[in-house]
Amino acid sequence: MPSDVPPREGANRYDEVADAAARAFRLLPAPPPDAQAADGAGTRGPARRISADPDTVERDLIKLVLTLVELLRQLMERQALHRVDAGDLTEEQEERLGATLMILHDRMTELCARYGLSLQDLNIDLGPLGPLLPPPE
């Protein structure tokens, strides 16, 4: 079925999805010129892909979720420090916030240990952007 023609009534849903995916891939930008060698093979190594190993899918999913939670925890911690430095909080609020952030850090450490991870394992490499999480202080 041509991609410019709308799907006919009663068309197979899988055909519609395949057609939509084909259109989407045509919209992707071409690879940069330096990514092609003279023989047409890529000059870079193979792209890192998600490994969907059924034996590790639970651990990998937990790693992703914990990475997001750790990123949010660090952002909240920085925001809290800015608010403390700016004097926006009472002493009681500072104490509660500090205790809450310490408890969250302890829970993160416990969850990492349960799944055989460390907090350093959660730092995803974003390629040219560098690591997701800042280095530990």
Side-chain angles (χ1 to χ4, degrees):
M1 160 184 347
S3 62
D4 301 335
V5 178
R8 65 186 186 281
E9 200 166 327
N12 185 338
R13 181 70 177 145
Y14 293 117
D15 291 338
E16 292 175 27
V17 172
D19 188 46
R23 284 193 314 268
F25 281 115
R26 280 196 303 276
L27 295 175
L28 290 175
D34 64 334
Q36 297 286 328
D39 62 353
T43 58
R44 294 185 240 174
R48 289 185 53 175
R49 303 260 181 199
I50 295 174
S51 173
D53 183 8
D55 298 333
T56 62
V57 71
E58 180 181 8
R59 183 178 183 270
D60 294 341
L61 181 59
I62 289 294
K63 182 178 177 181
L64 177 61
V65 170
L66 290 178
T67 298
L68 293 174
V69 171
E70 178 63 12
L71 176 63
L72 292 173
R73 185 195 70 76
Q74 288 187 15
L75 291 173
M76 288 175 13
E77 191 174 274
R78 283 198 189 97
Q79 183 65 30
L81 289 174
H82 287 297
R83 291 187 67 193
V84 167
D85 289 344
D88 292 346
L89 303 173
T90 66
E91 191 172 314
E92 181 183 327
Q93 289 173 323
E94 288 177 17
E95 291 294 322
R96 286 181 50 214
L97 189 56
T100 301
L101 290 172
M102 287 190 324
I103 290 169
L104 181 56
H105 184 269
D106 291 343
R107 296 297 185 270
M108 285 294 297
T109 304
E110 290 171 13
L111 284 169
C112 284
R114 180 183 299 170
Y115 289 94
L117 299 167
S118 69
L119 289 175
Q120 291 78 24
D121 292 333
L122 305 181
N123 199 359
I124 297 173
D125 180 17
L126 300 176
L129 298 176
L132 176 66
L133 303 172
E137 295 175 6

